[in-house]
Amino acid sequence: MESRLLSRATAFAAVPHVRRSAAREGSGNACLVPARPMGEGGNLIWGRQLRPALLLLHESSATRREILRPCLAAASSPAGGSDSAGEAKVAPVGFIQKYPALVTGFFFFMWYFLNVIFNIINKKIYNYFPYPYFVSVVHLFVGVIYCLISWAVGLPKRAPIDSNLLKLLIPVAVCHALGHVTSNVSFAAVAVSFTHTVKALEPFFNAAASQFILGQSIPFTLWLSLAPVVIGVSMASLTELSFNWTGFISAMISNISFTYRSIYSKKAMTDMDSTNVYAYISIIALIVCIPPALIIEGPQLIKHGFNDAIAKVGLVKFVTDLFWVGLFYHLYNQLATNTLERVAPLTHAVGNVLKRVFVIGFSIIVFGNKISTQTGIGTAIAIAGVAAYSFIKAKLEEEKQVSHTR
């Protein structure tokens, strides 16, 4: 999921403080008021820390004891009962807290499902409307409308942005726009399965950028795991029946663009939640994508592009297809971000590999793309290489985190 590096969620645990005077009054414990997550559904998009006001500042000592007693009784009672003086009960545990594994599994399922549906609708549109620059603008435009409506109803609340943060987000958004457009050019030119096979090279470009641009030392085992990726993509490209240079080069440019997006994302880390960050990046990327679409495809669209598409499928289907593909694009990217924030790095890595396998497999089934034996073997080798790379990298990140906590 290319959008995963755009996010940086923050989770806080609020720990209330009890005045010492309350302790001296004879209260051995205090009732703690936990912070509550803020955001959409079960997403781990947390708002800023809620700092509960200091309780019992002006009450008398007797009043303090009366207020604290039900809390103590509820906390000590295994069944959440009450003492003789009050009827306070422990709040029931919600479904999300009781079954976190099921919720995370549902997030993964929806991420994959929306991604597959997006790729299917996207490719079907290109079969009768081969204008990837304009379609890319539609993707972002529908997403921006979705974000504006979400802000209007307060789900989530819009985070303020200043000129300094805008300067940090602009390079990320430009790389996001370039990678998105070139991905769509590749989707329009070749089979979806082939584009995703070429885009499996993205870890190679990330490793190269980390080594030679950021100056980070990449272990030899990590480089070694990338060899099957390069070999597999080369094998698949040589015998891919839908191969053409436009699709191949566009997919490669997309890899480079998303690599630089990752680099700029490291510099643009803020304490803004990922939902707001992605919304701002989508707005900037839309502004970046509009001029090339007008210059490159504008005259053709006005002359015959729109008319040809409407003549083939009708106005209603044409408009609804563009709306749904834009909505699925935004939702799968946002849901991918929210999903990956719920899991460990290793699960994150495995999830991304499985997503690409799902997309390649479903695209072959739905569109009936004929692939040679060598293409199938090359694709399998490339995916296996990505899995090995992701596993090794996740292990290294976990070891680094453990060493930092010691």
Side-chain angles (χ1 to χ4, degrees):
M1 192 289 300
E2 292 104 358
S3 65
R4 65 181 182 274
L5 292 174
L6 300 179
S7 68
R8 181 185 177 204
T10 53
F12 296 94
V15 181
H17 300 280
V18 180
R19 292 175 61 88
R20 295 181 180 176
S21 59
R24 288 196 297 267
E25 293 291 341
S27 301
N29 298 291
C31 178
L32 300 182
V33 184
R36 296 174 61 85
M38 301 175 65
E40 300 173 291
N43 302 345
L44 286 187
I45 303 301
W46 293 68
R48 304 193 182 278
Q49 182 179 10
L50 300 182
R51 302 181 180 276
L54 293 177
L55 302 176
L56 320 176
L57 295 182
H58 304 293
E59 293 87 347
S60 64
S61 59
T63 305
R64 293 174 186 152
R65 285 193 292 270
E66 288 298 317
I67 294 177
L68 289 175
R69 187 180 298 124
C71 297
L72 294 172
S76 61
S77 174
S82 60
D83 63 0
S84 58
E87 296 294 331
K89 296 182 180 180
V90 175
V93 178
F95 183 85
I96 295 176
Q97 291 77 17
K98 192 174 182 180
Y99 303 103
L102 289 179
V103 175
T104 301
F106 175 75
F107 270 62
F108 269 103
F109 170 78
M110 291 304 299
W111 172 28
Y112 290 0
F113 174 76
L114 294 175
N115 196 310
V116 169
I117 296 300
F118 161 75
N119 279 277
I120 292 174
I121 298 177
N122 206 43
K123 185 61 179 179
K124 286 184 176 180
I125 289 175
Y126 289 136
N127 288 338
Y128 67 84
F129 187 70
Y131 297 95
Y133 288 87
F134 178 79
V135 174
S136 298
V137 169
V138 172
H139 292 166
L140 294 169
F141 177 76
V142 174
V144 167
I145 297 299
Y146 177 91
C147 293
L148 294 177
I149 294 175
S150 299
W151 279 342
V153 299
L155 294 173
K157 184 178 180 181
R158 187 182 70 84
I161 187 172
D162 54 26
S163 58
N164 292 328
L165 181 56
L166 187 62
K167 291 177 182 178
L168 292 175
L169 292 180
I170 285 177
V172 181
V174 171
C175 292
H176 177 67
L178 181 60
H180 177 53
V181 170
T182 50
S183 292
N184 278 289
V185 171
S186 181
F187 286 139
V190 295
V192 173
S193 57
F194 178 64
T195 298
H196 278 279
T197 302
V198 176
K199 286 174 71 62
L201 282 171
E202 188 176 330
F204 173 82
F205 288 96
N206 281 327
S210 299
Q211 178 84 53
F212 302 111
I213 298 178
L214 298 179
Q216 299 175 356
S217 178
I218 303 298
F220 177 73
T221 54
L222 207 58
W223 281 114
L224 193 62
S225 68
L226 289 171
V229 182
V230 177
I231 294 173
V233 172
S234 300
M235 289 178 59
S237 301
L238 289 174
T239 56
E240 170 59 39
L241 300 179
S242 67
F243 177 88
N244 65 58
W245 284 107
T246 300
F248 178 80
I249 293 175
S250 297
M252 294 293 283
I253 294 175
S254 175
N255 285 334
I256 298 173
S257 300
F258 287 133
T259 297
Y260 275 93
R261 185 187 66 182
S262 301
I263 294 175
Y264 286 118
S265 294
K266 294 179 183 294
K267 300 178 181 179
M269 291 298 185
T270 69
D271 59 355
M272 185 186 297
D273 65 83
S274 63
T275 304
N276 275 287
V277 169
Y278 186 66
Y280 282 119
I281 288 174
S282 297
I283 294 173
I284 300 171
L286 174 62
I287 297 173
V288 172
C289 288
I290 289 176
L294 293 176
I295 295 172
I296 296 174
E297 295 179 344
Q300 300 176 31
L301 288 171
I302 296 174
K303 186 176 181 180
H304 56 77
F306 292 123
N307 292 331
D308 289 349
I310 294 172
K312 291 178 181 177
V313 299
L315 177 61
V316 174
K317 179 173 175 53
F318 177 53
V319 173
T320 54
D321 280 353
L322 291 177
F323 169 76
W324 284 116
V325 78
L327 184 62
F328 281 122
Y329 170 78
H330 181 84
L331 290 179
Y332 104 74
N333 275 285
Q334 186 60 67
L335 193 60
T337 299
N338 301 147
T339 302
L340 298 180
E341 289 169 348
R342 300 181 63 90
V343 297
L346 182 56
T347 308
H348 167 175
V350 174
N352 276 291
V353 176
L354 291 177
K355 181 212 68 171
R356 203 169 294 282
V357 173
F358 265 79
V359 173
I360 291 175
F362 274 98
S363 66
I364 292 175
I365 294 173
V366 172
F367 297 107
N369 298 330
K370 295 182 179 180
I371 60 174
S372 66
T373 302
Q374 183 173 325
T375 298
I377 295 174
T379 300
I381 292 175
I383 295 299
V386 173
Y389 168 86
S390 301
F391 181 85
I392 295 173
K393 184 178 180 182
K395 280 292 185 182
L396 293 174
E397 290 180 355
E398 289 180 352
E399 292 173 359
K400 186 184 298 184
Q401 291 177 358
V402 171
S403 64
H404 286 168
T405 57
R406 289 177 180 175

